[in-house]
Amino acid sequence: MILLAFAAAVAATNFAPALAEANHALVAGRLDQAQIMIGRAVAAGANGDPVDRLLAQLAFARGQDEQALALNRGLLMNHPTTPLFAEQAGISALRLGRVAEATALLRAATTLPGASWRAWNALGAAADDRSDWPLADAAYARARHLSPDRAEIANNRGWSLLLRGRWREAEAELARGLVLGGSASAASAKRMTNNLQLARAALATALPLRSAKESDEAWAARLNDAGVAAAMTGDRARAIAAFTGAIGARSRWDGRAAANLAAIEGQR
């Protein structure tokens, strides 16, 4: 047994430089290179926790969320005090639409020392999905404290305010996000621009404000009705803003607002 343990330790030491290089490639965003390097190390006999960590990071970076969730959950069982594993598992679960699971994982991540702004930002997004506005506010505030100039935080916070019908505050947040997002991907920049346009359309066309204790369903229904009324009068911009807001305000929307939005966007 002692000889086997010694052999395993030697093997781990031998693979350490190759795995370190693979990690460097991951951090630099060279995902194809990282995958090849990890594959070579595994083929040469590397295994165990160091390899699982890299595979989890690679799956997460590639957006392979089912795999990333499973790998990070496995790592979390052996390393319950490492916030990165709970964070990546939580964000993967959120991307998969498994909000309850994501919330539990992200709450776990954010109770650990060293939790990143990404964990807090994702917790805010999960809270938005459940209309838990106090948790959303607290999570975004903590995320911003940790990283004040992240466009993602401003955009998510702005969307959160949109869901509550707080158009003016949403506009300010989303405009800030767009300014901060100079290095954002094309898809992220487009999303931020669309969100900002929605907030400005809502302000320009005086969409109804959300009541303090109004449910998602009631709020979405009122926005949908406002969109129908605007469409009937030919106010296309207001109708689009209302229908888009209605879809965002209700996670289990019955399709009416989506159908109305598709219909009016088809009118050129």
Side-chain angles (χ1 to χ4, degrees):
M1 291 296 292
I2 295 174
L3 288 174
L4 287 174
F6 178 73
V10 171
T13 301
N14 289 339
F15 291 123
L19 296 178
E21 284 299 317
N23 182 67
H24 182 71
L26 269 173
V27 172
R30 300 193 302 272
L31 304 186
D32 290 339
Q33 180 186 1
Q35 184 170 10
I36 292 169
M37 296 172 76
I38 296 168
R40 286 175 178 168
V42 170
N47 57 52
D49 191 89
V51 173
D52 289 342
R53 288 171 181 252
L54 292 175
L55 290 174
Q57 290 180 56
L58 179 63
F60 181 78
R62 286 196 179 283
Q64 297 167 337
D65 293 311
E66 289 283 4
Q67 184 179 359
L69 177 57
L71 286 167
N72 279 289
R73 271 198 171 282
L75 287 164
L76 196 57
M77 290 179 65
N78 296 324
H79 306 278
T81 60
T82 302
L84 177 64
F85 303 141
E87 172 188 314
Q88 291 189 157
I91 293 174
S92 292
L94 189 61
R95 290 172 180 168
L96 291 166
R98 291 152 62 170
V99 179
E101 183 178 5
T103 301
L105 286 162
L106 293 166
R107 279 186 178 276
T110 53
T111 61
L112 296 170
S116 78
W117 70 266
R118 290 182 178 84
W120 286 102
N121 187 50
L123 181 59
D128 285 335
D129 195 89
R130 297 181 297 109
S131 301
D132 186 344
W133 311 129
L135 177 58
D137 287 340
Y140 290 132
R142 182 59 181 163
R144 179 163 289 168
H145 174 77
L146 291 171
S147 191
D149 297 324
R150 297 298 310 195
E152 298 95 323
I153 300 169
N155 184 64
N156 281 6
R157 170 69 174 149
W159 181 252
S160 181
L161 293 166
L162 274 177
L163 295 181
R164 310 178 215 182
R166 291 162 59 178
W167 314 113
R168 183 74 60 190
E169 295 167 84
E171 181 195 25
E173 281 286 353
L174 293 166
R176 181 174 186 271
L178 204 55
V179 170
L180 292 173
S183 60
S185 68
S188 295
K190 187 175 188 301
R191 183 169 58 252
M192 288 189 283
T193 299
N194 289 343
N195 290 346
L196 179 57
Q197 288 174 346
L198 173 60
R200 286 175 174 167
L203 283 169
T205 54
L207 290 180
L209 297 176
R210 184 171 187 165
S211 302
K213 295 184 179 180
E214 192 169 17
S215 69
D216 288 350
E217 288 76 9
W219 170 230
R222 283 209 301 129
L223 281 173
N224 183 69
D225 290 346
V228 171
M232 291 175 66
T233 63
D235 191 342
R236 186 171 178 274
R238 183 179 184 217
I240 289 174
F243 293 142
T244 305
I247 295 167
R250 184 177 176 190
S251 59
R252 294 177 180 152
W253 184 236
D254 59 12
R256 281 182 297 163
N260 289 333
L261 177 61
I264 196 162
E265 284 189 328
Q267 298 172 8
R268 301 296 183 194

